[in-house]
Amino acid sequence: MVIIFGSFYLTIIYAILLTFGRIGLVLIISVFLALILGVLSAKVRAAEAIIIPITDVLEALPVVSFFPIILVFFIVRIGGSFGTELAVEFLLVTAVLWNLILGVYQSVLHIPKEYEMVTKAYKIGVIGKLRKLYAPAAFPSIVANIMPSFASALFYITLTEVITIGNKNYEVFGVGTLSVQLADASNYTGIVIVIMFLIVAIGLTFYFFINPLIRISEKYKFESNMPESSRDSKRKQNAFVTVIGDRINQVIVSTQSAIAVVNRTIPRRDKVSRRQIRFSDRVVNIIVGTTLLTVLLITLYFVAESGFSLAFTKYILNPYYLKIFGIATIYDLARIGIVFAISLGTMVPLAVFFGRKKVSGRFSTGIFQILYSIPSPVLLPLIVIFLTPKLAIFLGKSLAFNADVMIIAYLSAASYIFFNVYGSAISIPNDLEVVTKTYKLSRWMKIKYLSFPAIVPGLITGSMSAVGSYWGGLLVAEYVTFNGKTFAVKHGLMLLISKAIANGNLIYADAIDIFMVVLVVIITFVVWVRLYRYSERRFTYD
């Protein structure tokens, strides 16, 4: 085990700094990419038609589905410590990027037209618009997505900092590497100390970075329905918005007058100008669309050449392997179903309780977020070593380890349900609260006619995110090797992927990945998308 400056505690601090540094770098890169792709999608139809559907599909996929691609392309093809570092960081990008793109896209799409008119009137260029309008407009959405992205990145970075393919280990030093080394040395006290340091580091990150970003993001909101005095106080916090707020009517009137004059004096040129604008838009759409399609085709080619085409023909088209994959999937779906039921039974009542009590939002960004940000891969050795023997007394060894797997899956994603339901519950309009009190509705009637309809959209969104993330928990826990011992379930799709990677059979892992991607996409669009659309029609406040 690596010891920095002869001190175990300094080693922990060094590992945490490296891990958190990687996460910070990935978040910065992801925000930059999200701004480019999100703004492009909102402003160019060709980009919207290509980027948004692909992002919707990629967002629905579990992060673990990118794992075999990363192993082949970065670790096998590039190799070395540089390839391993790229593999770790690229997997983190796939964990945080898609939500950020969609958030930026929605934010830019809903910018009031008056603000766009001002930028045209002042002839602000593309970079100026991005810096002064689009980035500030998307900032609240970016910050809102950074909070869960940080926890997701912390989970997956501890999973990927040590990767074993066949008999060879690929690793970069960090919290994940240190935890594996401590587990192999049976130093469980050391793991507990690492967890304590992690809790402190996560708390400091929220206090000094994420919470200040939340407060800053409150300045960048279009509050068109706020009282005038409240709107003015918001505008004072943003110099650019202040300028717009003071001059917007003047600019609009001046622009309209100018246009009217031009229309009266040179109408033919105006028609030509409009044709030129339409032609210019068409050219931009053709250039952007062609560029994006070219990048997409090149990416698909490299993915196919990395082994996925061979995996498809060798395994996916073989009924024997499809049967194996199908049976393994049934076991994993059963585990996910049990974990999902437990998550609903624990997270929903807790979220509704805190939401209905109007507990301050600091709670959701405080203790609970720190707890759910603790990466479950670090907890796994403690759970397997100390909890399994106790559970085995009552359940037997096989069921006891299955219980461990489901505990890790629960810890990896149940919080998605809590925060989405909490957000819905705390947003129930006060007018409806007054109505329930006026008519003296019973507790059951309040739940049936107020609380339940209010939380359904958030519950569906959180459930979709949680179920997708449960796969990551299963990948972590279904096949575990440390201290010379192997712990594994008997059946499971994630078990097959883990064993294939451990045995160095990456083509087989690619085939399982293809099967899982198709399965998840079908479940997402057959079940979750339909439920979400139904909830939008049935459970909304007009």
Side-chain angles (χ1 to χ4, degrees), residues 157-158 161-162 171-182:
I157 197 169
T158 53
E161 283 180 338
V162 180
E171 62 183 52
V172 292
F173 191 70
V175 173
T177 311
L178 183 60
S179 301
V180 170
Q181 292 173 350
L182 291 171

Side-chain angles (χ1 to χ4, degrees), residues 135-392:
F139 190 72
S141 175
I142 290 171
V143 172
N145 280 293
I146 278 179
M147 291 187 290
S149 295
F150 172 76
S152 180
L154 197 52
F155 173 89
Y156 285 105
I157 197 169
T158 53
L159 171 65
T160 56
E161 283 180 338
V162 180
I163 300 171
T164 301
I165 303 177
N167 297 321
K168 191 170 182 180
N169 285 338
Y170 300 86
E171 62 183 52
V172 292
F173 191 70
V175 173
T177 311
L178 183 60
S179 301
V180 170
Q181 292 173 350
L182 291 171
D184 286 337
S186 300
N187 188 350
Y188 306 114
T189 302
I191 294 177
V192 172
I193 295 173
V194 169
I195 293 170
M196 293 172 64
F197 271 78
L198 266 177
I199 292 173
V200 173
I202 293 168
L204 292 174
T205 301
F206 276 102
Y207 185 80
F208 287 106
F209 294 99
I210 294 180
N211 286 343
L213 286 175
I214 294 172
R215 289 193 292 271
I216 294 171
S217 70
E218 293 174 357
K219 298 191 295 185
Y220 299 100
K221 292 182 180 178
F222 299 110
E223 302 286 359
S224 58
N225 296 322
M226 292 174 58
E228 190 66 26
S229 60
S230 180
R231 277 207 308 273
D232 291 341
S233 66
K234 290 287 184 183
R235 284 173 181 164
K236 290 176 184 177
Q237 299 172 359
N238 188 322
F240 181 68
V241 176
T242 302
V243 173
I244 293 177
D246 292 339
R247 300 190 180 185
I248 188 167
N249 292 326
Q250 177 186 347
V251 172
I252 291 173
V253 171
S254 300
T255 304
Q256 288 174 340
S257 300
I259 291 173
V261 172
V262 172
N263 282 336
R264 288 194 300 268
T265 56
I266 45 174
R268 291 183 179 180
R269 190 172 181 179
D270 181 66
K271 291 181 180 179
V272 173
S273 177
R274 289 180 180 178
R275 289 196 197 102
Q276 289 175 343
I277 291 172
R278 287 197 295 268
F279 177 75
S280 176
D281 289 343
R282 210 174 288 125
V283 170
V284 169
N285 275 278
I286 291 172
I287 293 174
V288 171
T290 303
T291 302
L292 290 174
L293 283 174
T294 303
V295 172
L296 177 62
L297 291 173
I298 292 173
T299 302
L300 291 174
Y301 171 78
F302 278 111
V303 169
E305 285 298 306
S306 67
F308 277 79
S309 58
L310 177 60
F312 184 83
T313 56
K314 185 176 181 179
Y315 295 107
I316 298 297
L317 298 181
N318 190 324
Y320 171 77
Y321 290 106
L322 286 180
K323 182 180 178 181
I324 293 175
F325 299 161
I327 294 172
T329 300
I330 291 172
Y331 278 88
D332 273 354
L333 289 178
R335 293 184 184 101
I336 288 175
I338 294 171
V339 174
F340 181 53
I342 296 172
S343 300
L344 292 178
T346 55
M347 294 291 107
V348 173
L350 192 63
V352 171
F353 173 79
F354 283 109
R356 299 283 284 127
K357 293 292 183 182
K358 303 296 182 184
V359 175
S360 170
R362 291 180 182 178
F363 171 82
S364 64
T365 57
I367 296 174
F368 201 86
Q369 279 204 346
I370 292 173
L371 293 176
Y372 98 83
S373 297
I374 300 172
S376 54
V378 178
L379 300 171
L380 182 60
L382 300 178
I383 292 174
V384 171
I385 295 300
F386 295 105
L387 187 60
T388 304
K390 292 180 173 58
L391 293 177

